[in-house]
Amino acid sequence: MTSPFPFASIFGILFAALIIAGGLPWVERRVLALFQDRYGPNRVGPFGVLQTLADAIKMFAKEDWVPPFADRAVFVIAPAVLMVTVLLSFAIIPAAPGIIVDDLNIGVLFFLGMSSLGVYSIVLAGWSSDNKYALLGAMRGAAQMLSYEVFMGLSIMGTVLLAGSFDLVKIVEAQRGLWFVVPQFAGFMLFLIAGLAETRRIPFDLPEAESELIAGYHAEYSGMKFGLFFVGEYLGITLISSIITTLFLGGWLGPWLPPVVWFLIKTSASIAFFILLRAALPRPRFDQLMALGWKLMLPLALINLLATGAAVLAWSF
Amino acid sequence: MEAAFYTASVIAIAATILTITRSNAIHALLYLIVSLLAISVVFYTLGAPFVAVLEVIIYAGAIMVLFIFVVMMLNLGQRAAALERRWQTPAIWTGPTILSALLLAEVVYLLVRGAGGETAASVVEPKQVAMVLFSKYLIGVELASMLLLAGMAGAYHLGAQQRRKKEVQHATGADEGRAGAGGDLVHTRTGGSAGAP
């Protein structure tokens, strides 16, 4: 089942996702500046809104350099993998009734599959650069994303149990009475942390850790190839935020305002949280990160799933 | 749907052949990932979306990442690729090729005879897979879980032993050993275990 206006949905969602992801660097820099008592970028256009445009022009004008020691084909493919997997994931997000690219009956699993393929862009970028810092970043990225993916999937299963479907539209419809953030609060927190790790945002940005690894896996990238990694990160934040909105915050549901507006408000709130977290938290050590994932998060996700399963079973009798 | 099935099948076969013939290990693994993705599309066109997505999540997304992770750590360079190329002599690959050709002939014979060959008879929902898995094939699930438990216990045992050895090394203060391994820059620069002033 697809939407009544397939092409309008495809272009609308693509356009909206790219515009939001394009505007986010400016929003992030301004908000962080506010937090740190500075001005941030305020020169290009009113309040500096056009800063991203200026950055994009700069990136296009830069030399797109492939290091002679790099594995050329893999080096070029790696940033594209990131963009393709993230943009494909947007296909299953219902922004409003009828505004969805493909209403897959395995939507949640499709999202998990695409996010697990996204690891390749980090791994391949780091390996093909033939640079020790890039390789270290790629190793951290692979280990981190693999570990956090495990309980990311488990933390969603509670909502899937409650809704009785992998279909994101049905999951949203099941939240008419009560948003899943209430009965699945543990799942919500676990998914939030896993989402931070998947997008490699600040408490979990060890793969790029500027102060120790220069820029980690994309240290050798320049020009628009670096631009793809850069935009890909913000697209990832947008994607995780809209998934959080859909799974836990009731998607498009809400009184008075039109559904799309509710979806955008909730997604923006989630994005704002991601950005403010960057101003608030330091970066942990890598072994602390792995220990947190396997020793705390995974058992919690399993307990949450078990408890939810027991509750659903008890309810159905 | 039929066109998608045949396209994906051709891609899967081509990618698998390329996997076998590459001498660069990472390139071979990348072709194997493409092959797995193509097989996932084949599953989808045959009406098994759940299996298709599991193929992507588990095989392409998790197991192959571990393979690439290991190969990446081994740091195989030009020399390894050259060595691999030297190993791929006709004497090595004729045997497997003959066996595979026999299998291929068998598949072609079955296709020509027209056994099977129906695409998308009915779509299998995730729920149906789960129902069958936890009723009819429960023994299989239990056996697999036992195997995984044994594997996990084994991995833990190996990891724990490794850690104990390392601690002993630290206790005896084998600075030369660590410096020789290139692990301790400060000590190598100031000359062995003399240490910093």
Side-chain angles (χ1 to χ4, degrees):
Chain A
M1 194 186 87
T2 47
S3 78
F5 320 103
F7 285 102
S9 289
I10 291 172
F11 287 112
I13 287 179
L14 263 185
F15 190 71
L18 287 171
I19 288 289
I20 292 172
L24 272 186
W26 173 75
V27 173
E28 170 156 47
R29 288 171 69 183
R30 286 293 288 201
V31 171
L32 283 184
L34 201 70
F35 254 60
Q36 293 157 353
D37 203 13
R38 317 179 265 120
Y39 284 118
N42 61 354
R43 297 286 133 176
V44 195
F47 303 107
V49 182
L50 301 178
Q51 182 65 41
T52 315
L53 200 65
D55 284 345
I57 292 170
K58 180 194 77 177
M59 257 179 226
F60 270 116
K62 271 189 170 180
E63 185 187 359
D64 195 353
W65 189 65
V66 178
F69 46 81
D71 189 321
R72 205 186 156 82
V74 180
F75 189 84
V76 174
I77 291 172
V81 172
L82 182 69
M83 285 304 269
V84 168
T85 51
V86 173
L87 283 178
L88 270 180
S89 303
F90 276 104
I92 47 128
I93 289 173
I99 306 184
I100 181 170
V101 177
D102 192 358
D103 186 5
L104 275 177
N105 59 351
I106 43 163
V108 174
L109 293 173
F110 183 81
F111 158 71
L112 289 175
M114 284 302 128
S115 78
S116 63
L117 287 184
V119 184
Y120 284 116
S121 87
I122 313 309
V123 175
L124 295 178
W127 175 78
S128 66
S129 298
D130 206 4
N131 168 326
K132 60 184 155 194
Y133 296 112
L135 189 68
L136 279 172
M139 272 163 48
R140 285 181 178 186
Q144 168 183 328
M145 288 173 82
L146 267 183
S147 316
Y148 278 68
E149 233 158 53
V150 174
F151 70 81
M152 180 188 226
L154 284 174
S155 65
I156 303 182
M157 287 311 141
T159 62
V160 172
L161 261 177
L162 289 182
S165 173
F166 284 116
D167 190 333
L168 284 171
V169 174
K170 287 197 184 119
I171 289 177
V172 173
E173 290 292 344
Q175 298 179 67
R176 262 190 201 290
L178 186 65
W179 292 357
F180 282 158
V181 65
V182 180
Q184 277 296 311
F185 189 71
F188 171 71
M189 292 308 291
L190 289 167
F191 185 77
L192 196 68
I193 293 167
L196 276 171
E198 283 294 305
T199 47
R200 305 171 296 285
R201 290 288 299 176
I202 201 115
F204 301 117
D205 73 335
L206 289 132
E208 38 192 298
E210 291 88 351
S211 47
E212 25 186 314
L213 295 181
I214 317 173
Y217 59 91
H218 55 55
E220 294 288 346
Y221 281 85
S222 60
M224 211 49 213
K225 288 200 195 71
F226 168 74
L228 285 184
F229 278 120
F230 188 70
V231 177
E233 184 185 325
Y234 287 98
L235 268 178
I237 297 170
T238 316
L239 175 70
I240 291 286
S241 298
S242 39
I243 292 273
I244 287 174
T245 305
T246 311
L247 288 177
F248 296 102
L249 302 181
W252 68 75
L253 300 174
W256 308 307
L257 296 170
V260 184
V261 176
W262 270 114
F263 184 81
L264 285 177
I265 289 174
K266 290 173 186 172
T267 308
S268 311
S270 171
I271 291 174
F273 177 75
F274 270 63
I275 287 175
L276 291 182
L277 215 53
R278 179 166 171 183
L281 288 180
R283 184 186 295 142
R285 259 186 1 241
F286 190 63
D287 62 319
Q288 293 172 331
L289 176 88
M290 296 305 276
L292 177 78
W294 287 108
K295 291 182 186 163
L296 183 67
M297 295 302 173
L298 183 66
L300 277 181
L302 285 172
I303 291 170
N304 177 47
L305 183 58
L306 207 65
T308 313
V312 168
L313 202 63
W315 223 268
S316 63
F317 274 123
Chain B
M1 230 34 174
E2 200 131 311
F5 171 79
Y6 285 113
T7 319
S9 314
V10 170
I11 291 173
I13 292 169
T16 311
I17 291 172
L18 285 167
T19 305
I20 303 165
T21 52
R22 289 311 88 182
S23 50
N24 184 325
I26 293 265
H27 292 176
L29 285 173
L30 285 181
Y31 277 115
L32 187 53
I33 293 161
V34 173
S35 159
L36 288 169
L37 292 179
I39 288 170
S40 150
V41 175
V42 168
F43 275 130
Y44 189 82
T45 54
L46 287 176
F50 187 61
V51 180
V53 170
L54 285 191
E55 176 100 6
V56 174
I57 295 178
I58 294 171
Y59 284 95
I63 294 179
M64 295 315 292
V65 175
L66 289 180
F67 272 50
I68 289 211
F69 195 77
V70 170
V71 174
M72 201 167 83
M73 302 272 271
L74 294 178
N75 195 18
L76 304 169
Q78 299 289 327
R79 255 185 51 229
L83 193 68
E84 186 78 21
R85 224 167 286 136
R86 217 153 15 89
W87 282 341
Q88 281 182 350
T89 52
I92 300 284
W93 55 255
T94 26
T97 310
I98 290 171
L99 293 178
S100 309
L102 285 176
L103 271 180
L104 181 69
E106 204 172 4
V107 170
V108 168
Y109 173 70
L110 285 176
L111 283 178
V112 169
R113 269 193 55 201
E118 277 156 46
T119 53
S122 66
V123 175
V124 183
E125 298 279 334
K127 205 171 193 167
Q128 285 166 272
V129 179
M131 295 297 245
V132 178
L133 208 58
F134 286 102
S135 57
K136 199 173 162 192
Y137 298 106
L138 190 60
I139 294 240
V141 175
E142 287 297 323
L143 283 177
S145 77
M146 275 182 214
L147 188 67
L148 287 176
L149 190 64
M152 202 165 77
Y156 182 78
H157 178 68
L158 290 175
Q161 235 173 12
Q162 205 82 34
R163 197 170 55 206
R164 208 180 316 130
K165 260 185 210 153
K166 212 189 280 168
E167 272 163 13
V168 170
Q169 215 174 40
H170 273 288
T172 55
D175 275 341
E176 279 101 320
R178 271 190 288 153
D184 202 334
L185 270 179
V186 179
H187 285 261
T188 44
R189 214 177 288 151
T190 52
S193 56

